[in-house]
């Protein structure tokens, strides 16, 4: 079975058109690819924290997470956002089942190396792929919220891009980041131009010269890490363009394809 892990960031989730979910369901029903959705929920978390007067800060694109922030993160991601994505799939005739990384210890986690500054932000050390495969065998599209858990029951806030990459690595699946832009953009003759393909070395250069920054950083870092660990292919596409997901999976020139080295398709 061929899996495609589809990562939807919180900044695009609120506005993704019905056509995106129709594409996911079409792909699922066609049977060639089995979609797995991993979602974020950053903007909703930020607005709820603001309403609750809880301060929130970021370090290198990752949210600093104490106990109070962690409760809100889990409530938003595993509650309202997860079920919203499931409902959107059901609305267009699909079948979905929402879980978090806590369920069945799906995402086993440990603190990041920068836990002193980040608090309860985790890295995934193991993916219990049996949970995903069981959901798939029942005919559902898995919808996964990126909260991890360790052996002692401690929860961790896991960046959605990192969680999606870990799941794709465990399943040797393709990975596709859904964005509201057509891919990685660079300045060329004063115009923003999309890269159809970007290698690891090109991306490292773009990070160094600050062309890639902020929320795009965890995406490309997760993409490169995934490619090094046997993910066949990583793409960044615009989920607002009708059929973009299906066109990308059919090998058309959609979005930015990230590869280890130039010359490797």
């Amino acid at each position: 079975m061929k899996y495609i892990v589809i990562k939807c960031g919180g900044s695009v989730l609120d506005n993704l058109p019905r056509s995106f979910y129709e594409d996911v369901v079409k792909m699922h029903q066609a049977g060639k690819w089995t979609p797995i959705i991993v979602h974020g929920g950053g903007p909703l978390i930020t607005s709820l924290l603001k309403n609750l007067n809880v301060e929130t800060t970021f370090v290198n694109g990752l949210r600093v997470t104490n106990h109070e922030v962690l409760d809100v993160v889990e409530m938003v991601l595993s509650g309202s956002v997860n079920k919203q994505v499931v409902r959107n799939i059901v609305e267009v005739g699909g079948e979905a089942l929402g879980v978090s990384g806590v369920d069945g210890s799906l995402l086993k986690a440990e603190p990041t190396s920068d836990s002193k500054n980040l608090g309860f932000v985790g890295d995934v050390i193991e993916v219990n792929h049996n949970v995903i495969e069981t959901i798939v065998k029942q005919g559902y599209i898995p919808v996964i919220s990126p909260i991890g858990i360790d052996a002692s029951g401690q929860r961790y806030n896991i960046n959605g891009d990192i969680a999606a990459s870990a799941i794709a690595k465990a399943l040797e699946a393709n990975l596709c980041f859904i964005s509201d832009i057509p891919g990685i953009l660079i300045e060329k003759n004063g115009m923003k131009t999309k890269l159809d393909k970007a290698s690891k070395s090109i991306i490292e250069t773009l990070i160094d010269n600050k062309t890639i920054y902020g929320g795009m950083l965890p995406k490309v870092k997760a993409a490169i890490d995934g490619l090094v660990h046997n993910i066949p292919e990583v793409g960044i596409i615009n989920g607002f363009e009708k059929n973009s997901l299906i066109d990308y999976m059919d090998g058309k020139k959609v979005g930015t394809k990230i590869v280890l080295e130039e010359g490797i398709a």
Side-chain angles (χ1 to χ4, degrees):
M1 186 175 291
K2 286 163 89 172
Y3 292 106
I4 168 78
V5 176
I6 301 164
K7 162 63 185 15
C8 300
S11 54
V12 298
L13 262 182
D14 286 349
N15 304 309
L16 273 176
R18 186 182 171 96
S19 62
F20 168 76
Y21 295 100
E22 287 169 345
D23 283 357
V24 171
V25 171
K26 264 186 227 159
M27 186 191 291
H28 187 231
Q29 290 170 347
K32 186 181 168 190
W33 292 93
T34 298
I36 296 162
I37 294 181
V38 179
H39 63 79
L44 193 54
I45 293 166
T46 301
S47 70
L48 188 53
L49 287 169
K50 197 174 168 192
N51 291 344
L52 295 168
N53 290 322
V54 178
E55 196 182 325
T56 185
T57 53
F58 289 84
V59 175
N60 296 327
L62 300 173
R63 188 187 301 275
V64 176
T65 306
N66 60 19
H67 274 297
E68 200 176 6
V69 172
L70 189 57
D71 281 341
V72 173
V73 167
E74 184 168 46
M75 185 164 64
V76 171
L77 288 179
S78 304
S80 48
V81 176
N82 189 270
K83 300 316 160 203
Q84 178 68 58
V85 175
V86 170
R87 285 200 305 276
N88 289 343
I89 291 169
V90 171
E91 270 174 23
V92 296
E95 294 280 356
L97 198 150
V99 292
S100 91
V102 170
D103 297 311
S105 296
L106 171 52
L107 297 177
K108 291 177 187 164
E110 66 180 10
T112 64
S113 54
D114 195 17
S115 59
K116 191 160 63 77
N117 293 317
L118 288 168
F120 297 108
V121 173
D123 284 327
V124 180
I125 51 170
E126 196 183 326
V127 174
N128 184 355
H129 53 82
N130 292 332
V131 174
I132 297 170
E133 285 160 357
T134 301
I135 293 169
V136 167
K137 278 181 191 142
Q138 301 297 319
Y140 296 104
I141 296 167
V143 178
I144 301 167
S145 124
I147 303 284
I149 191 166
D150 68 13
S152 72
Q154 173 61 51
R155 299 162 300 165
Y156 292 92
N157 179 12
I158 296 172
N159 173 272
D161 300 329
I162 291 165
S165 178
I167 290 165
K169 281 190 284 192
L171 296 167
E172 291 188 6
N174 281 25
L175 175 59
C176 191
F177 293 108
I178 303 300
S179 185
D180 54 358
I181 56 171
I184 296 175
L185 303 173
I186 57 165
E187 287 274 344
K188 209 171 183 182
N189 305 326
M191 303 269 288
K192 283 213 179 295
T193 311
K194 174 178 77 78
L195 289 176
D196 289 333
K197 196 158 92 169
S199 68
K200 179 173 180 280
S201 54
I202 287 173
I203 281 173
E204 283 163 355
T205 304
L206 294 175
I207 291 171
D208 288 345
N209 68 22
K210 303 284 193 291
T211 301
I212 293 175
Y213 62 93
M216 189 59 94
L217 266 178
K219 271 186 189 50
V220 295
K221 285 181 175 172
I224 296 298
D225 177 62
L227 290 166
V228 171
H229 292 93
N230 298 332
I231 294 179
E233 188 179 294
V234 182
I236 298 174
I237 66 166
N238 185 348
F240 292 79
E241 289 173 9
K242 196 169 170 55
N243 295 327
S244 61
L245 187 58
I246 288 171
D247 286 347
Y248 174 77
M249 295 314 295
D250 284 345
K252 295 182 184 165
K253 271 198 174 176
V254 175
T256 300
K257 187 184 288 188
I258 300 173
V259 294
L260 264 186
E261 297 307 332
E262 282 304 338
I264 301 172

